[in-house]
Amino acid sequence: MSAHKFLLLCVRRLMFFGLLGIPAIPRAQNIVGHVYSLNSKGEKEAVAGANIRFAGLAKITSTDANGQFTLAGTGKDSAYLVVAYKGLTVDSALIAGRVVNSNVEFILPREQQLKEVAVTASQAGTLISRFNVLKTEQISKTGLMKMACCNLAESFENSATITVGYADAVSGARQVQLLGLSGIYSQVLGENIPVLRGLSSTYGWNYIPGSWLESIQISKGASSVVNGYESVTGQINLEFKKPDKTEEFFAELYADEYFKYEANITGARKINDNLWTNLLVQGSTQTNINYQTGNTTIHDRNSDHFMDMPLTKSVNVFNRWLYISPSKRVESRTGARFLYDDRQGGQSPLCHKADVYYITDVDNLNFNIYNKTGIAIGSKPGQSIGIINSFTTHKLDSYFGSDKTYKLYNGTQNTFYSNVIFNSYIGNTNHQYAVGASFLYDNFKTVFRDKLPENNTPLTPLNRTEVVPGAFAQYTYSYLQKFTLIVGLREDFNYRYGWLFTPRTNVKYSVTPNIVLRASAGCGYRSPNVIADNIGLMASTRKFDIDAIDNLQIEKAWNYGGNATFYLPVWNREKLTLSLEYFHTEFEKQAIVDLDRNRNYVYFYNLNGRSFADVWQADISFTALRGFDVFTAFRYNRNRITLNDGQQSYEVDKPLISRYRGLVNLSYATKFKKWVFDFTAQVNGPSRLPSATGYTAQANESPAYPMYFFQITKNTKRLDVYLGIENILDYQLQNPIINAENPFVKGFDASQVWGPTMGRKIYAGVRFRVGKIY
């Protein structure tokens, strides 16, 4: 080891372990306590989001999901602490300011009004957190019901942050973009456990039903080091229905004019005072049978002899358990999930008559089991250790073509993930820290075959094993709810790629209660899975440069960005929320997928030059009238990449990335939300299309296009009925498949999709609830 590398390694270690040596700054003692209400049985329930402040002072905080709060003391001999929550009676208590108050407890009686009505009437579909250090957009349960969100891929039509499209025109695979880059650079978490990785990164967006979700949090930029090094552009965290906070029975039935039928059923049960469970079941089919007439029909609206969408069959089962010890010091969540999905697309005898048909057949099988356990340790309030263990196995079989000419990609991925986190603070809760260790095991056993008529290519094994132990430390300093600084470092050793050092930092400063500034910086890494990540390229006659895949290095990128959020008073005590942001992502290493060098090939190689993405976004949300919410946003992308033919480099716009996107969502609800009307309008900007004649050819661009959505919902206490229409103007790519009439000769390509492959769609559904909510 050279002296330079040795010195750098020593500096890293000193920075890493030096975090724990940050001294405490003497301040007034903190007040730590809980806020509860009483349910119909007289049992205490935690109140999340209650406001706590000292009478006559501006400092304020709120309770977390467990009803716990921490507020810096005044330094005075005594002061009145006031607690308020909408629908509950305001309470106060005289608190000594010069002593430690670690067990303050408030039990707020209910006001004589319908708390349920007050809460649901004020809940917006999309929220921007005031308190989160990262710019976090939360899609609430209300937002998830603005459209028929049959799955996660359909849950972002009202989001200005995330764009979802099809990866190809035959298989139904979805691709997601965040901050102008593919969704593979965003870390997707299921309640802080990494999901949708590797073989499930593309089709997996279809496998999480929207009715299973409680909310979605989208955090942009450099995120916490606690969850690993894989986040580059941000994190998408999915919160599922909780066993102790959901309906005893819920069912949703959905159908549309394309013969898609889906049923989602969830149920919850309290076993005893310490144990709860819930079961989530989903079944879905995209068929070619009209059950009203009994006739068999294939949708091919553009008459290219290919089905507009694949025929699918899917079964999804998820069982979750929650245990809370009698002492309330141990909380354990365990879950197991099984998924089977089969999708068949391409040509059909019902579309046209031919001697040989181009077909696609993709099967996914997934099983996951996990446990999350949190244990309160010592006498310090909030000091705890968390242990996460998760095992996932995913099997993918995919076939594109005919019995003589086809591409095949099959494989199995086994993943074990473990994370141990210790949370505490130094002196007082102004100085919090988290330290821990993680372990990741990824084993890929995959094979690829590109069989052409003139070439009987054997199966090519593409196996890879990664063993990654790591450690991390994260320090958080907060001051009076006005300033928060998070500094995190982690060091991992990947047995395939070597040492990976990940620094990240986030800052939030509340200039006033109505002006919040945020900034973030950090790096992330990602192991390339170029075939699984670009599965849509299988739907083409392009020959894959398969020998280059084993030589690809791990991807590394830096992300920098900032956000300013303004809460501006308007009328009727309402506030308009204005958010302005900019993020820049710069790659040091990237796995390039080159479609421009030759229209008959796909080349894979590591970046040699610049690759970056700039994103500017502005969004506004406000309540115009009682029950009438408005959300509008505009995003501009600049995404450049360097392509290289081995002799010369060419910097071009990254293909198939929309240059801009505008969004308007209007939502109106009548009194008590008996009727809800939602309208969404999108405009999607042009994108560069891959060249068919080499790097130097003049770039072709897709046109800008609009999309409109509308849904009306009738709500009752137990039953909701909704009717909606997507793509109202019936905008559809007329020729999404290049050379569709000759799918077995060079030039056939169904992967160049930049817009909707389906036209107008009318759908309807019902939601039904029974029993109490635990």
Side-chain angles (χ1 to χ4, degrees), residues 296-310:
T296 301
T297 304
I298 289 294
H299 289 282
D300 179 21
R301 297 184 62 180
N302 59 357
S303 301
D304 63 358
H305 304 315
F306 278 78
M307 292 184 284
D308 291 337
M309 77 290 293

PDB file of all heavy atoms in Angstrom, residues 296-310:
ATOM      1  N   THR A 296     -63.852 -13.681 -26.834  1.00  0.00           N
ATOM      2  CA  THR A 296     -62.418 -13.490 -26.673  1.00  0.00           C
ATOM      3  C   THR A 296     -61.971 -12.340 -27.572  1.00  0.00           C
ATOM      4  O   THR A 296     -62.262 -12.327 -28.761  1.00  0.00           O
ATOM      5  CB  THR A 296     -61.654 -14.768 -27.046  1.00  0.00           C
ATOM      6  OG1 THR A 296     -62.112 -15.833 -26.211  1.00  0.00           O
ATOM      7  CG2 THR A 296     -60.162 -14.582 -26.846  1.00  0.00           C
ATOM      8  N   THR A 297     -61.260 -11.377 -26.970  1.00  0.00           N
ATOM      9  CA  THR A 297     -60.854 -10.175 -27.697  1.00  0.00           C
ATOM     10  C   THR A 297     -59.427  -9.829 -27.335  1.00  0.00           C
ATOM     11  O   THR A 297     -59.018  -9.937 -26.179  1.00  0.00           O
ATOM     12  CB  THR A 297     -61.766  -8.989 -27.350  1.00  0.00           C
ATOM     13  OG1 THR A 297     -63.122  -9.350 -27.613  1.00  0.00           O
ATOM     14  CG2 THR A 297     -61.404  -7.763 -28.171  1.00  0.00           C
ATOM     15  N   ILE A 298     -58.662  -9.406 -28.326  1.00  0.00           N
ATOM     16  CA  ILE A 298     -57.316  -8.898 -28.093  1.00  0.00           C
ATOM     17  C   ILE A 298     -57.310  -7.417 -28.444  1.00  0.00           C
ATOM     18  O   ILE A 298     -57.733  -7.020 -29.526  1.00  0.00           O
ATOM     19  CB  ILE A 298     -56.276  -9.642 -28.951  1.00  0.00           C
ATOM     20  CG1 ILE A 298     -56.097 -11.067 -28.435  1.00  0.00           C
ATOM     21  CG2 ILE A 298     -54.934  -8.917 -28.927  1.00  0.00           C
ATOM     22  CD1 ILE A 298     -55.477 -11.180 -27.061  1.00  0.00           C
ATOM     23  N   HIS A 299     -56.818  -6.592 -27.529  1.00  0.00           N
ATOM     24  CA  HIS A 299     -56.755  -5.152 -27.789  1.00  0.00           C
ATOM     25  C   HIS A 299     -55.507  -4.837 -28.632  1.00  0.00           C
ATOM     26  O   HIS A 299     -54.373  -5.057 -28.200  1.00  0.00           O
ATOM     27  CB  HIS A 299     -56.712  -4.379 -26.470  1.00  0.00           C
ATOM     28  CG  HIS A 299     -58.013  -4.399 -25.733  1.00  0.00           C
ATOM     29  ND1 HIS A 299     -59.073  -3.601 -26.078  1.00  0.00           N
ATOM     30  CD2 HIS A 299     -58.431  -5.145 -24.688  1.00  0.00           C
ATOM     31  CE1 HIS A 299     -60.097  -3.839 -25.267  1.00  0.00           C
ATOM     32  NE2 HIS A 299     -59.729  -4.772 -24.402  1.00  0.00           N
ATOM     33  N   ASP A 300     -55.738  -4.334 -29.807  1.00  0.00           N
ATOM     34  CA  ASP A 300     -54.665  -3.891 -30.704  1.00  0.00           C
ATOM     35  C   ASP A 300     -55.164  -2.635 -31.417  1.00  0.00           C
ATOM     36  O   ASP A 300     -55.487  -2.647 -32.597  1.00  0.00           O
ATOM     37  CB  ASP A 300     -54.309  -5.001 -31.712  1.00  0.00           C
ATOM     38  CG  ASP A 300     -53.213  -4.577 -32.682  1.00  0.00           C
ATOM     39  OD1 ASP A 300     -52.474  -3.624 -32.348  1.00  0.00           O
ATOM     40  OD2 ASP A 300     -53.106  -5.180 -33.768  1.00  0.00           O
ATOM     41  N   ARG A 301     -55.228  -1.539 -30.692  1.00  0.00           N
ATOM     42  CA  ARG A 301     -55.887  -0.340 -31.198  1.00  0.00           C
ATOM     43  C   ARG A 301     -55.092   0.356 -32.298  1.00  0.00           C
ATOM     44  O   ARG A 301     -55.652   1.086 -33.092  1.00  0.00           O
ATOM     45  CB  ARG A 301     -56.145   0.628 -30.041  1.00  0.00           C
ATOM     46  CG  ARG A 301     -57.104   0.043 -29.001  1.00  0.00           C
ATOM     47  CD  ARG A 301     -57.412   1.033 -27.927  1.00  0.00           C
ATOM     48  NE  ARG A 301     -58.082   2.231 -28.468  1.00  0.00           N
ATOM     49  CZ  ARG A 301     -58.466   3.255 -27.728  1.00  0.00           C
ATOM     50  NH1 ARG A 301     -58.269   3.234 -26.429  1.00  0.00           N
ATOM     51  NH2 ARG A 301     -59.057   4.308 -28.272  1.00  0.00           N
ATOM     52  N   ASN A 302     -53.760   0.155 -32.315  1.00  0.00           N
ATOM     53  CA  ASN A 302     -52.980   0.803 -33.381  1.00  0.00           C
ATOM     54  C   ASN A 302     -52.727  -0.134 -34.568  1.00  0.00           C
ATOM     55  O   ASN A 302     -51.971   0.209 -35.479  1.00  0.00           O
ATOM     56  CB  ASN A 302     -51.655   1.331 -32.828  1.00  0.00           C
ATOM     57  CG  ASN A 302     -50.808   0.224 -32.215  1.00  0.00           C
ATOM     58  OD1 ASN A 302     -51.234  -0.932 -32.153  1.00  0.00           O
ATOM     59  ND2 ASN A 302     -49.618   0.569 -31.747  1.00  0.00           N
ATOM     60  N   SER A 303     -53.293  -1.335 -34.536  1.00  0.00           N
ATOM     61  CA  SER A 303     -53.250  -2.284 -35.666  1.00  0.00           C
ATOM     62  C   SER A 303     -51.833  -2.619 -36.113  1.00  0.00           C
ATOM     63  O   SER A 303     -51.535  -2.737 -37.298  1.00  0.00           O
ATOM     64  CB  SER A 303     -54.035  -1.705 -36.866  1.00  0.00           C
ATOM     65  OG  SER A 303     -55.386  -1.454 -36.514  1.00  0.00           O
ATOM     66  N   ASP A 304     -50.928  -2.807 -35.135  1.00  0.00           N
ATOM     67  CA  ASP A 304     -49.565  -3.226 -35.488  1.00  0.00           C
ATOM     68  C   ASP A 304     -49.379  -4.730 -35.292  1.00  0.00           C
ATOM     69  O   ASP A 304     -48.264  -5.241 -35.372  1.00  0.00           O
ATOM     70  CB  ASP A 304     -48.533  -2.457 -34.669  1.00  0.00           C
ATOM     71  CG  ASP A 304     -48.640  -2.718 -33.163  1.00  0.00           C
ATOM     72  OD1 ASP A 304     -49.549  -3.475 -32.734  1.00  0.00           O
ATOM     73  OD2 ASP A 304     -47.828  -2.161 -32.407  1.00  0.00           O
ATOM     74  N   HIS A 305     -50.482  -5.458 -35.022  1.00  0.00           N
ATOM     75  CA  HIS A 305     -50.506  -6.915 -34.849  1.00  0.00           C
ATOM     76  C   HIS A 305     -49.851  -7.369 -33.553  1.00  0.00           C
ATOM     77  O   HIS A 305     -49.579  -8.559 -33.386  1.00  0.00           O
ATOM     78  CB  HIS A 305     -49.838  -7.635 -36.035  1.00  0.00           C
ATOM     79  CG  HIS A 305     -50.447  -7.268 -37.355  1.00  0.00           C
ATOM     80  ND1 HIS A 305     -51.791  -7.198 -37.567  1.00  0.00           N
ATOM     81  CD2 HIS A 305     -49.859  -6.938 -38.543  1.00  0.00           C
ATOM     82  CE1 HIS A 305     -52.047  -6.843 -38.820  1.00  0.00           C
ATOM     83  NE2 HIS A 305     -50.883  -6.670 -39.436  1.00  0.00           N
ATOM     84  N   PHE A 306     -49.595  -6.414 -32.627  1.00  0.00           N
ATOM     85  CA  PHE A 306     -49.092  -6.738 -31.293  1.00  0.00           C
ATOM     86  C   PHE A 306     -50.135  -6.318 -30.268  1.00  0.00           C
ATOM     87  O   PHE A 306     -50.776  -5.271 -30.411  1.00  0.00           O
ATOM     88  CB  PHE A 306     -47.776  -6.010 -31.006  1.00  0.00           C
ATOM     89  CG  PHE A 306     -46.559  -6.684 -31.577  1.00  0.00           C
ATOM     90  CD1 PHE A 306     -46.257  -6.566 -32.924  1.00  0.00           C
ATOM     91  CD2 PHE A 306     -45.717  -7.435 -30.767  1.00  0.00           C
ATOM     92  CE1 PHE A 306     -45.147  -7.186 -33.461  1.00  0.00           C
ATOM     93  CE2 PHE A 306     -44.600  -8.051 -31.290  1.00  0.00           C
ATOM     94  CZ  PHE A 306     -44.310  -7.934 -32.637  1.00  0.00           C
ATOM     95  N   MET A 307     -50.315  -7.131 -29.242  1.00  0.00           N
ATOM     96  CA  MET A 307     -51.222  -6.763 -28.168  1.00  0.00           C
ATOM     97  C   MET A 307     -50.746  -5.485 -27.487  1.00  0.00           C
ATOM     98  O   MET A 307     -49.539  -5.303 -27.270  1.00  0.00           O
ATOM     99  CB  MET A 307     -51.313  -7.900 -27.138  1.00  0.00           C
ATOM    100  CG  MET A 307     -51.991  -9.155 -27.662  1.00  0.00           C
ATOM    101  SD  MET A 307     -52.184 -10.442 -26.380  1.00  0.00           S
ATOM    102  CE  MET A 307     -50.508 -11.075 -26.290  1.00  0.00           C
ATOM    103  N   ASP A 308     -51.690  -4.592 -27.168  1.00  0.00           N
ATOM    104  CA  ASP A 308     -51.316  -3.333 -26.521  1.00  0.00           C
ATOM    105  C   ASP A 308     -50.790  -3.543 -25.106  1.00  0.00           C
ATOM    106  O   ASP A 308     -50.039  -2.716 -24.595  1.00  0.00           O
ATOM    107  CB  ASP A 308     -52.527  -2.392 -26.469  1.00  0.00           C
ATOM    108  CG  ASP A 308     -52.921  -1.897 -27.846  1.00  0.00           C
ATOM    109  OD1 ASP A 308     -52.053  -1.901 -28.747  1.00  0.00           O
ATOM    110  OD2 ASP A 308     -54.089  -1.524 -28.028  1.00  0.00           O
ATOM    111  N   MET A 309     -51.191  -4.609 -24.459  1.00  0.00           N
ATOM    112  CA  MET A 309     -50.695  -4.934 -23.130  1.00  0.00           C
ATOM    113  C   MET A 309     -50.657  -6.455 -22.974  1.00  0.00           C
ATOM    114  O   MET A 309     -51.414  -7.163 -23.638  1.00  0.00           O
ATOM    115  CB  MET A 309     -51.561  -4.301 -22.022  1.00  0.00           C
ATOM    116  CG  MET A 309     -52.864  -4.993 -21.755  1.00  0.00           C
ATOM    117  SD  MET A 309     -54.069  -4.798 -23.073  1.00  0.00           S
ATOM    118  CE  MET A 309     -54.365  -3.037 -22.921  1.00  0.00           C
ATOM    119  N   PRO A 310     -49.766  -6.977 -22.123  1.00  0.00           N
ATOM    120  CA  PRO A 310     -49.663  -8.431 -21.988  1.00  0.00           C
ATOM    121  C   PRO A 310     -50.830  -9.004 -21.193  1.00  0.00           C
ATOM    122  O   PRO A 310     -51.504  -8.299 -20.426  1.00  0.00           O
ATOM    123  CB  PRO A 310     -48.342  -8.614 -21.233  1.00  0.00           C
ATOM    124  CG  PRO A 310     -48.200  -7.368 -20.427  1.00  0.00           C
ATOM    125  CD  PRO A 310     -48.781  -6.270 -21.272  1.00  0.00           C
TER     126      PRO A 310
END
